[in-house]
Amino acid sequence: MKEKITVIIAAAGSGERAKRSKNKILEDVGGVSVIRKTFDAFYSSKLINEYIVAAKQEDAEEIKSLLPPFVKIVNGGKTRTESVKNALALTTGDIVLIHDGARPFVPEQVIRDCIDSAIKYGSGVAAIPSRDTVAEKSENAPRYLGKKDLLLIQTPQAFIAEEIKRAYNVAGEKTFNDDGEVYLNCFGKLNFVGGDAKNVKLTYPEDFNTAKETRFGTGFDCHRLVENRKLILGGVEIPFNKGLLGHSDADVLTHAIMDAILSACCLRDIGFWFPDTDEKYKGANSMKLLAEVLRMIHEKGFTVDSVSAVIMAEKPKLLKHIPTITENLATALNISPDKVGITATTLEGLGFVGREEGICVHANAVVVKE
Ligand code: MG
């Protein structure tokens, strides 16, 4: 692309509808601020030559600190129209994209299609067909607009820079819904390109709840098999002539799962929280320790999404016990059994597991932070 491309990110909103104490674009979305994530969507596309962010004066410093120094910050006006006008005055690109700061999930393809459309037709506005029927409220009877041929308008909205500047001059003090309408008012035409259902504008409190941070953790444990001990796996007693040796009930499966969960949350490990030197944990029921681990991670805002574990044991055969173990762990973890994947394997007679001296478990956990 030989054209110089500018993106204007409108970030001067107040976040009132999102019921946030600060501007919603400064909120966290999966570990980064909304504004940074929005910027990154454009930056990683490598299609943009110039970045301008319109920000409220009170947010300008914070926004500046969240973005690279080459991003120009301009004073956002009282209205979105005013903000865009201020930003357009600084634009040096041939094509300008205007985008809502609160749409961090914009796919690269949509950005590309908007630019291509603006080069070809003068404008390219992201829009998706309405899935729902639309009606217009009225003091008397509401008016049904249907859904056929109705479009939900998104951003980015791309234009030939000189044309959108002219359109804003023509618009004067009149108010418009968005930049596309400003362009339409001036030129009597507007080209739409396919948007994306994922390209949502974070507006209401529940929109932020969908922006979860997912984390992955791994855990491993091993216990010696001895006589005169119970064999407990995932809180289920398995009939066998030997059991696992340990300070607690030596539930090797639950131990590995607890470590995977703690690791995903960066909260150390079970040896740190439940030391085997502490008399309190002698003979402890590991399912109770698991409940304690869940309490700890909930306190930090995490919940378990799913777990997966492989039990390495030469004997006993675990095949018929796996469904019971799975059910028991799912109940304890407060997740559906189809989110608990337990497998078992022998080690083909190799090593200490193969010699039936012990049982090992490798576990993984996925946790989400609300
Ligand atoms: Mg252990």
Side-chain angles (χ1 to χ4, degrees):
M1 231 175 271
K2 58 187 184 311
E3 289 82 2
K4 182 175 175 184
I5 315 288
T6 300
V7 64
I8 294 172
I9 299 175
S14 66
E16 264 165 38
R17 276 180 296 180
K19 292 199 172 66
R20 311 311 257 203
S21 53
K22 56 181 176 181
N23 190 340
K24 64 187 174 183
I25 53 115
L26 297 170
E27 293 285 339
D28 183 281
V29 55
V32 290
S33 60
V34 173
I35 184 68
R36 178 69 206 210
K37 199 168 170 66
T38 303
F39 166 81
D40 285 343
F42 287 90
Y43 191 62
S44 64
S45 77
K46 298 191 174 67
L47 296 165
I48 311 295
N49 308 102
E50 182 180 53
Y51 295 84
I52 302 175
V53 172
K56 279 196 299 190
Q57 202 152 15
E58 61 258 45
D59 296 332
E61 275 310 305
E62 191 169 350
I63 289 176
K64 208 171 188 170
S65 74
L66 294 167
L67 299 173
F70 57 79
V71 176
K72 292 181 204 162
I73 312 285
V74 300
N75 212 346
K78 277 192 224 54
T79 61
R80 189 178 187 283
T81 310
E82 226 176 283
S83 298
V84 172
K85 264 187 185 172
N86 291 348
L88 278 174
L90 282 188
T91 301
T92 62
D94 306 304
I95 299 292
V96 56
L97 287 122
I98 302 167
H99 187 69
D100 298 323
R103 288 189 197 267
F105 308 116
V106 54
E108 184 182 322
Q109 192 59 48
V110 174
I111 298 171
R112 192 178 288 277
D113 291 347
C114 287
I115 294 171
D116 287 347
S117 171
I119 291 170
K120 228 170 159 180
Y121 306 107
S123 63
V125 170
I128 56 171
S130 177
R131 281 192 271 193
D132 299 318
T133 298
V134 177
E136 188 181 36
K137 279 203 288 191
S138 151
E139 288 211 350
N140 304 315
R143 194 162 71 94
Y144 266 69
L145 303 177
K147 62 182 165 191
K148 191 173 169 285
D149 298 331
L150 286 183
L151 292 174
L152 305 177
I153 311 294
Q154 303 183 331
T155 69
Q157 304 190 353
F159 309 93
I160 292 172
E162 287 313 313
E163 291 190 352
I164 190 68
K165 284 178 191 175
R166 181 151 29 114
Y168 264 96
N169 282 336
V170 169
E173 298 302 307
K174 263 175 90 180
T175 53
F176 291 93
N177 287 295
D178 64 2
D179 315 295
E181 199 183 11
V182 171
Y183 185 91
L184 180 66
N185 173 64
C186 181
F187 295 98
K189 59 168 190 171
L190 188 65
N191 203 59
F192 293 113
V193 304
D196 196 303
K198 289 193 292 292
N199 182 25
V200 290
K201 186 175 183 181
L202 301 177
T203 307
Y204 300 103
E206 55 270 29
D207 295 339
F208 288 82
N209 293 340
T210 62
K212 287 176 182 164
E213 182 189 358
T214 302
R215 297 225 209 143
F216 176 78
T218 186
F220 182 82
D221 197 21
C222 207
H223 280 260
R224 187 184 288 275
L225 268 175
V226 295
E227 279 169 3
N228 302 317
R229 285 274 296 184
K230 283 180 183 168
L231 175 58
I232 295 169
L233 293 173
V236 177
E237 191 177 333
I238 310 290
F240 191 47
N241 59 5
K242 286 187 209 169
L244 293 170
L245 184 64
H247 184 67
S248 66
D249 62 2
D251 183 342
V252 64
L253 174 58
T254 304
H255 290 184
I257 288 172
M258 284 193 281
D259 267 353
I261 294 168
L262 287 168
S263 175
C265 306
C266 298
L267 282 172
R268 304 296 296 258
D269 55 34
I270 52 171
F272 178 84
W273 297 109
F274 316 117
D276 61 8
T277 48
D278 192 333
E279 272 306 300
K280 200 162 82 184
Y281 301 115
K282 193 166 163 46
N285 177 346
S286 295
M287 301 309 275
K288 286 201 174 137
L289 303 183
L290 175 60
E292 178 60 16
V293 164
L294 295 179
R295 193 197 58 74
M296 281 163 48
I297 69 156
H298 290 162
E299 221 163 66
K300 298 274 177 192
F302 291 102
T303 51
V304 175
D305 173 79
S306 53
V307 299
S308 159
V310 52
I311 307 167
M312 291 162 256
E314 206 63 29
K315 270 184 190 163
K317 284 278 169 246
L318 293 170
L319 196 68
K320 66 171 193 272
H321 301 292
I322 298 288
T324 322
I325 292 171
T326 302
E327 281 287 341
N328 202 49
L329 281 169
T331 305
L333 291 161
N334 200 20
I335 56 178
S336 156
D338 63 13
K339 295 252 184 175
V340 180
I342 307 294
T343 63
T345 184
T346 70
L347 290 194
E348 301 279 340
L350 293 164
F352 67 89
V353 171
R355 292 190 298 272
E356 298 168 38
E357 290 168 13
I359 293 179
C360 297
V361 174
H362 183 182
N364 294 312
V366 172
V367 300
V368 286
K369 189 168 192 178
E370 301 285 346

